[in-house]
Amino acid sequence: MSRKNWLVLILMLLLGGGIFAYSLRNTNLHEVSSDLATMNWGWFLVAVICICLYLGLEGVVVKIFMSNRYPSFTWKDALRLPLIEQLFNGITPFSTGGQPAQLLAMLQSGVDGGIASSVLLMKFVVFQSMIVVNFIISLLIGFHYIEEKLHVLSLLVVFGFVIHLSVIVALLMVMYWYRFTKRMMNIVIKPVRWFVKPQRYEKIKYSLNEKVDSFYQESIKMKTEYGKLAKVAGVTILQLLAYYIIPYFILLALNIHGVNLIMAMSLHTLIFMIISLFPIPGGTGGAEYSFAVLFTAFTSSHSKLVVAMLLWRVLTYYFGMFAGMFALMVKPDKVKNSMGV
């Protein structure tokens, strides 16, 4: 990691610590210590297993995509990728650092850059598609609850859904209406000329056209692998379910019973969407606030709500980042090419 990345990581840890301290300002610390002392650590262990499954199943997705391209690509490297992704997603705005970091990790393993880009692109398309599917179901179940609790959050949820859906629609348009989409894109970006210098505009236009062309070429390969994509979609659904169910087990660990499993998972799905809109790395601030607002109905104890929020944040954000730091220290295995070298 660069010095800048280390600085951001330290700042996010300090900011997270500040938010935790702020959350505890009106909380009886004796009640907090009592809640921790009486925790059902068995249920918390299940929550830990769920986050490990979430990360591990993404490694399975990588392994599936790499199986016929580089059979020598090891499980160690496949599992290393999602951990590195978590780290760099966690220290960059809008989680933009994960993809480049994974690409670099695959290049370190000796994977061809074009193949690495293709695998990451297909993984991204499937993941985004499954997020949209899960989100639609969650909207039907939990949106009325968010709208009742806080109108502003409902607007963020809808906005987040529109963004994710737009990404999928744009990618599908490139796949199936390539020429039309490219013409439309070049028309849409024309107003950019009013705000930037001609050289800058041409550079932006060239870069966008190059990305569209690259995705279209990769999409041609994707169309020949529908069976593999279906298998990956199934694994990704399990991966997301393992993630969405984590708050439910945390609440059980704090001896909060009578929680509706489907509602808890739906609310976590909606929080996932809200977090993606916050420009601060990891959605810090927005994540904690959303959890506290949406899950307050499940317990009358403020101390248990705060502890639940802290445990949830540790598992879903900090756990992945620290695991990613460990993954960076693991030396990747070099793949063999088609000649066995």
Side-chain angles (χ1 to χ4, degrees):
M1 294 208 316
S2 66
R3 180 179 298 180
K4 180 182 177 181
N5 289 333
W6 277 110
L7 178 61
V8 173
L9 176 61
I10 293 170
L11 287 175
M12 295 317 301
L13 292 175
L14 292 174
L15 181 58
I19 291 173
F20 287 172
Y22 182 79
S23 300
L24 292 167
R25 72 194 187 285
N26 296 323
T27 307
N28 188 317
L29 295 182
H30 177 72
E31 291 182 6
V32 171
S33 62
S34 177
D35 292 333
L36 291 172
T38 57
M39 266 185 64
N40 186 324
W41 291 99
W43 283 123
F44 184 70
L45 177 61
V46 175
V48 173
I49 292 173
C50 285
I51 191 63
C52 291
L53 277 174
Y54 171 74
L55 298 171
L57 287 173
E58 187 164 347
V60 173
V61 168
V62 174
K63 186 65 175 174
I64 291 173
F65 277 133
M66 294 294 288
S67 59
N68 66 332
R69 293 171 170 83
Y70 285 95
S72 61
F73 191 79
T74 63
W75 276 105
K76 183 183 81 175
D77 285 343
L79 294 171
R80 182 172 174 261
L81 281 186
L83 302 182
I84 292 174
E85 177 188 20
Q86 289 295 306
L87 171 60
F88 285 91
N89 276 347
I91 61 174
T92 51
F94 300 112
S95 301
T96 53
Q99 288 286 97
Q102 289 181 92
L103 177 60
L104 181 59
M106 295 181 80
L107 293 176
Q108 290 174 342
S109 296
V111 177
D112 175 76
I115 292 177
S117 298
S118 174
V119 168
L120 294 176
L121 182 61
M122 288 190 287
K123 186 161 74 75
F124 173 79
V125 170
V126 175
F127 189 78
Q128 287 294 315
S129 300
M130 294 305 102
I131 283 179
V132 169
V133 171
N134 279 274
F135 186 65
I136 291 173
I137 297 172
S138 298
L139 270 181
L140 297 175
I141 296 171
F143 182 72
H144 68 282
Y145 177 78
I146 288 186
E147 196 170 30
E148 291 174 5
K149 295 296 292 183
L150 195 61
H151 183 62
V152 176
L153 279 185
S154 65
L155 294 177
L156 285 175
V157 165
V158 172
F159 185 54
F161 173 68
V162 169
I163 290 176
H164 282 269
L165 183 62
S166 298
V167 170
I168 295 300
V169 170
L171 293 174
L172 289 175
M173 287 181 68
V174 173
M175 288 177 67
Y176 295 100
W177 298 286
Y178 166 66
R179 293 179 181 175
F180 169 76
T181 306
K182 193 170 180 179
R183 283 199 300 269
M184 286 297 297
M185 182 198 70
N186 286 318
I187 292 173
V188 169
I189 66 171
K190 281 186 177 180
V192 175
R193 291 183 300 183
W194 305 337
F195 307 99
V196 298
K197 294 180 179 180
Q199 297 89 341
R200 176 63 176 165
Y201 170 74
E202 290 300 325
K203 186 176 180 180
I204 293 172
K205 181 179 177 181
Y206 176 80
S207 177
L208 288 174
N209 277 274
E210 188 177 41
K211 285 180 171 59
V212 169
D213 293 340
S214 176
F215 177 73
Y216 177 68
Q217 293 302 319
E218 297 300 335
S219 71
I220 294 174
K221 301 175 186 176
M222 289 172 63
K223 292 175 185 178
T224 65
E225 298 186 317
Y226 280 129
K228 183 175 291 186
L229 288 175
K231 186 188 297 184
V232 167
V235 175
T236 303
I237 288 175
L238 293 177
Q239 177 194 0
L240 290 172
L241 290 177
Y243 180 82
Y244 293 145
I245 203 172
I246 289 173
Y248 177 75
F249 290 123
I250 289 177
L251 295 177
L252 288 181
L254 291 169
N255 300 300
I256 300 172
H257 301 288
V259 178
N260 185 307
L261 171 62
I262 302 301
M263 178 60 78
M265 293 180 67
S266 298
L267 292 179
H268 196 201
T269 305
L270 300 180
I271 290 174
F272 183 86
M273 192 65 67
I274 293 170
I275 292 174
S276 67
L277 296 177
F278 280 78
I280 301 174
T284 301
E288 292 85 353
Y289 176 71
S290 302
F291 185 94
V293 169
L294 296 180
F295 281 88
T296 187
F298 293 112
T299 177
S300 58
S301 171
H302 179 69
S303 64
K304 284 190 175 183
L305 178 64
V306 172
V307 172
M309 185 267 288
L310 298 181
L311 294 175
W312 166 75
R313 194 61 170 152
V314 166
L315 284 185
T316 59
Y317 181 54
Y318 297 102
F319 180 86
M321 287 207 301
F322 282 107
M325 292 171 65
F326 173 77
L328 282 180
M329 295 186 291
V330 176
K331 185 178 180 180
D333 299 321
K334 290 291 184 179
V335 296
K336 296 178 181 178
N337 57 28
S338 57
M339 299 297 292
V341 180

